[in-house]
């Protein structure tokens, strides 16, 4: 019995200590504010700016998809050097300090804007929300530093000291926290270099605490609005490109007029022997012969004056299911959308694009997944968000004009438009609006001649892949 008592006391003591420590750490974790009211005495947070942005990891290319294998070996090194130079210029145009990774540290006495502080270039703007929350001290000293502008404070009372007023670094010190916060509320930022869209990072310090917040420097742009009438013809222009298929083009035009008598149709025509197309609300633009698919698209879309255009191939045919109004209804209800595809004889042919940036030296990896989509369009279960759609689509005119169609691509071109628009165009596909497709007649001599141009040669495929290597900074492209 005596042995049992001697063993029990140490065990009970250790258990008690463990329980007390557990409660202590639970309180410390869940109620940090109660234990650290004057945090400047107990913590010393460091910079909230990541000095080294996360570097992209190399991406993996499946066998047969590496683009450098398609490049002329005697030109490879020169192409790589030119591409690297162009990529640096691309980064200079598309990245800014606002891309840097920022961390908000816990228990900071500094109050500052974390998002939405936008200034116009060369224009003085008050910095909203600047304040200090700290315990009792004999003196309070804060500093602000920027790199692309100057900081300005109001003329302080005698009890406040200010250094660097009108410079990139501003220091303010006062024995009164109330007066200091009133002055902080009147600090202004002015950018010193004109730029239409860039940014700055402001460092805000008090004792061992530092916070970094972004400043967006942006020139506002004028809105471009379309005065849409009540008729579909004031909303949409139909666009197409024709080559060696006048018979099919006339069938398309006839089918359009069955359902839409006064809608404008724009035709880009690069035939060898142009034939004048007559009819009301038809505009035919004659091009030099055989300029190609994307050159024709560029020309047609450049002449559109309505808010939307409907792209159709010259061998399509309008049916009872070709309801342009239904596509417009979705685009108007979801104004973020840029391109909305339909179906061709019940087939939607949408796809998704998956892009990994890869390492800067080698380039990125792109995978096009056929029938790939992301999820249904909210409010429209018959529509799905995707990266690309079939050649029958309604598009926002100004959004597509900004991306454009690369005229270097003459025969092998469709997915490439959506590749260039990845990250710029919001795309969806709907199954409730369809268009017909005319039958191909194998014995038709014009059809046979058309196929000679339509079917790409190996040199066309190689050129397209070489273009992806340089223009899109890609290491590989995989089609699935």
């Amino acid at each position: 019995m005596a042995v049992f008592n001697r063993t029990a006391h140490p065990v009970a003591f250790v258990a008690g200590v463990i329980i007390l420590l557990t409660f202590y750490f639970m309180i410390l974790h869940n109620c940090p504010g109660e234990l650290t009211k004057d945090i400047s005495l107990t913590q010393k947070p460091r910079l909230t700016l990541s000095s080294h942005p996360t570097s992209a990891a190399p991406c993996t290319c499946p066998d047969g998809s590496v683009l450098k294998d398609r490049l002329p070996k005697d030109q490879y090194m020169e192409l790589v050097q030119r591409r690297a130079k162009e990529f640096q210029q691309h980064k200079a145009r598309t990245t800014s300090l606002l891309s840097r990774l920022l961390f908000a540290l816990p228990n900071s006495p500094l109050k500052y804007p974390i998002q939405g502080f936008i200034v116009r270039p060369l224009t003085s703007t008050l910095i909203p929300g600047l304040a200090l929350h700290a315990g009792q001290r004999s003196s309070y000293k804060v500093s602000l530093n920027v790199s692309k502008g100057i900081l300005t404070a109001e003329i302080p009372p005698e009890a406040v000291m200010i250094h660097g007023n009108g410079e990139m670094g501003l220091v303010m010190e006062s024995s009164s926290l109330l007066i200091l916060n009133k002055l902080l509320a009147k600090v202004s930022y002015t950018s010193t270099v004109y730029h239409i869209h860039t940014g700055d990072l402001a460092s805000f310090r008090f004792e061992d605490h530092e916070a970094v917040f972004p400043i967006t420097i942006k020139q506002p742009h004028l809105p471009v609005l379309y005065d849409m009438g009540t008729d579909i013809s004031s909303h949409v222009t139909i666009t197409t490109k024709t080559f060696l298929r006048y018979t099919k083009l006339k069938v398309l035009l006839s089918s359009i007029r069955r359902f839409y008598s006064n809608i404008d149709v724009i035709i880009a025509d690069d035939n060898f022997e142009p034939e004048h197309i007559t009819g009301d609300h038809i505009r035919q633009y004659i091009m030099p012969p055989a300029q190609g698919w994307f050159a024709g698209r560029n020309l047609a879309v450049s002449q559109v004056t309505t808010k939307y255009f409907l792209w159709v191939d010259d061998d399509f045919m309008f049916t009872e299911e070709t309801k342009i109004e239904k596509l417009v209804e979705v685009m108007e209800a979801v104004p973020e959308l840029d391109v909305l595809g339909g179906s061709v004889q019940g087939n939607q042919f949408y796809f998704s694009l998956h892009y990994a940036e890869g390492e800067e030296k080698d380039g990125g990896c792109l995978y096009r997944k056929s029938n790939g989509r992301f999820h249904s369009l909210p409010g429209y279960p018959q529509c799905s968000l995707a990266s690309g759609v079939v050649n029958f689509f309604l598009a926002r005119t100004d959004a597509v004009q900004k991306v454009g169609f690369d005229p270097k691509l003459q025969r092998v071109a469709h997915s490439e438009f959506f590749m260039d628009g990845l990250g710029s165009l919001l795309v969806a596909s709907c199954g409730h609006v369809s268009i017909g497709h005319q039958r191909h007649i194998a014995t038709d001599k014009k059809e046979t001649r058309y196929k000679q141009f339509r079917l790409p040669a190996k040199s066309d495929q190689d050129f397209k892949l070489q273009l992806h290597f340089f223009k899109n900074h890609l290491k590989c492209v995989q089609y699935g």
Side-chain angles (χ1 to χ4, degrees):
M1 192 70 180
V3 173
F4 174 78
N5 288 336
R6 285 196 300 268
T7 307
H9 287 297
V11 171
F13 174 76
V14 171
V17 170
I18 292 174
I19 292 172
L20 287 173
L21 288 173
T22 301
F23 276 114
Y24 173 78
F25 284 113
M26 286 176 63
I27 294 171
L28 180 66
H29 175 73
N30 293 310
C31 308
E34 297 298 323
L35 298 178
T36 57
K37 290 182 179 178
D38 192 355
I39 53 179
S40 63
L41 297 178
T42 59
Q43 300 180 12
K44 294 185 178 181
R46 296 300 179 188
L47 285 174
T48 58
L49 169 67
S50 173
S51 57
H52 300 287
T54 304
S55 58
C59 54
T60 303
C61 298
D63 293 339
S65 67
V66 179
L67 297 180
K68 72 176 183 179
D69 297 339
R70 302 295 188 104
L71 302 175
K73 290 183 170 52
D74 58 336
Q75 302 176 25
Y76 176 71
M77 290 306 301
E78 183 181 351
L79 281 170
V80 169
Q81 292 172 2
R82 293 206 309 268
R83 186 180 78 157
K85 179 182 177 182
E86 283 295 309
F87 188 65
Q88 292 304 317
Q89 292 186 354
H90 165 78
K91 288 173 60 180
R93 288 177 56 83
T94 58
T95 60
S96 73
L97 286 175
L98 302 183
S99 304
R100 299 293 296 271
L101 185 63
L102 302 177
F103 296 96
L105 294 175
N107 299 318
S108 173
L110 300 169
K111 180 186 174 186
Y112 51 93
I114 61 171
Q115 179 178 295
F117 180 39
I118 303 173
V119 303
R120 299 189 181 198
L122 308 179
T123 304
S124 179
T125 307
L126 286 175
I127 303 177
L130 285 182
L132 174 65
H133 299 272
Q136 183 66 39
R137 286 166 175 72
S138 59
S139 180
Y140 303 87
K141 182 179 179 180
V142 297
S143 65
L144 283 159
N145 289 275
V146 294
S147 61
K148 294 187 177 181
I150 59 172
L151 299 161
T152 308
E154 287 191 342
I155 298 175
E158 294 183 359
V160 180
M161 293 177 52
I162 293 184
H163 302 286
N165 202 358
E167 301 177 6
M168 290 190 294
L170 179 66
V171 179
M172 308 172 71
E173 186 174 4
S174 173
S175 59
S176 169
L177 182 60
L178 179 63
I179 294 176
L180 180 65
N181 280 330
K182 285 183 178 180
L183 287 173
L184 283 172
K186 299 297 180 65
V187 173
S188 297
Y189 172 88
T190 307
S191 68
T192 52
V193 177
Y194 182 81
H195 198 292
I196 61 171
H197 195 181
T198 185
D200 202 347
L201 293 176
S203 170
F204 187 23
R205 299 189 183 206
F206 169 68
E207 295 180 351
D208 292 321
H209 301 275
E210 179 181 11
V212 178
F213 60 89
I215 302 173
T216 301
I217 305 168
K218 186 175 182 180
Q219 174 63 51
H221 54 79
L222 291 172
V224 178
L225 308 179
Y226 291 85
D227 185 9
M228 296 174 64
T230 57
D231 185 72
I232 189 66
S233 63
S234 64
H235 301 175
V236 179
T237 301
I238 297 175
T239 56
T240 191
K241 153 80 171 57
T242 192
F243 179 68
L244 298 178
R245 296 201 294 194
Y246 281 125
T247 301
K248 293 187 179 298
L249 174 65
K250 292 173 182 177
V251 172
L252 168 66
L253 294 174
S254 177
S255 71
I256 291 173
R257 291 297 173 240
R258 282 183 58 204
F259 303 99
Y260 300 97
S261 60
N262 63 347
I263 197 167
D264 283 347
V265 180
I266 294 178
I267 304 166
D269 186 339
D270 63 346
N271 276 282
F272 292 106
E273 299 176 0
E275 177 182 329
H276 185 57
I277 304 298
T278 60
D280 294 336
H281 303 288
I282 291 177
R283 286 182 278 159
Q284 180 185 18
Y285 294 89
I286 306 300
M287 306 168 60
Q291 290 301 294
W293 180 240
F294 270 15
R297 274 191 172 184
N298 268 333
L299 174 57
V301 174
S302 72
Q303 300 306 304
V304 174
T305 58
T306 51
K307 183 176 182 178
Y308 303 110
F309 71 88
L310 181 76
W311 183 267
V312 296
D313 284 355
D314 60 355
D315 62 344
F316 286 172
M317 182 172 58
F318 276 51
T319 71
E320 296 283 351
E321 302 299 322
T322 313
K323 302 293 185 183
I324 304 176
E325 295 87 349
K326 291 184 178 181
L327 295 176
V328 172
E329 176 190 345
V330 177
M331 292 284 279
E332 285 290 290
V334 189
E336 298 92 342
L337 278 176
D338 298 302
V339 179
L340 185 63
S343 68
V344 179
Q345 294 190 163
N347 296 312
Q348 292 180 251
F349 300 109
Y350 48 75
F351 59 87
S352 60
L353 295 171
H354 304 272
Y355 172 55
E357 291 179 297
E359 292 182 314
E360 183 173 314
K361 178 183 176 183
D362 295 328
C365 302
L366 185 67
Y367 173 52
R368 191 198 71 177
K369 182 181 180 183
S370 298
N371 298 319
R373 56 184 179 177
F374 302 110
H375 56 76
S376 62
L377 186 66
Y380 294 90
Q382 70 273 41
C383 305
S384 298
L385 290 165
S387 300
V389 294
V390 70
N391 285 341
F392 170 54
F393 58 83
L394 185 75
R396 191 175 298 275
T397 303
D398 54 359
V400 169
Q401 287 174 342
K402 290 176 183 177
V403 175
F405 302 89
D406 192 338
K408 295 188 186 73
L409 297 167
Q410 294 183 318
R411 303 192 201 181
V412 188
H414 179 65
S415 301
E416 290 68 27
F417 161 67
F418 294 102
M419 291 177 183
D420 287 346
L422 184 64
S424 298
L425 300 176
L426 186 62
V427 181
S429 176
C430 295
H432 67 304
V433 180
S434 183
I435 197 168
H437 192 262
Q438 300 175 45
R439 291 179 58 190
H440 293 288
I441 302 173
T443 57
D444 190 332
K445 292 183 180 179
K446 292 183 178 179
E447 192 82 26
T448 303
R449 188 183 181 196
Y450 172 79
K451 286 184 177 179
Q452 293 174 354
F453 288 89
R454 175 67 181 87
L455 298 176
K458 183 179 183 299
S459 58
D460 294 309
Q461 294 282 5
D462 287 342
F463 175 79
K464 181 186 75 169
L465 295 175
Q466 291 169 15
L467 188 66
H468 284 319
F469 173 83
F470 194 105
K471 186 182 79 169
N472 301 123
H473 198 252
L474 289 176
K475 176 182 177 182
C476 56
V477 179
Q478 183 185 11
Y479 298 89

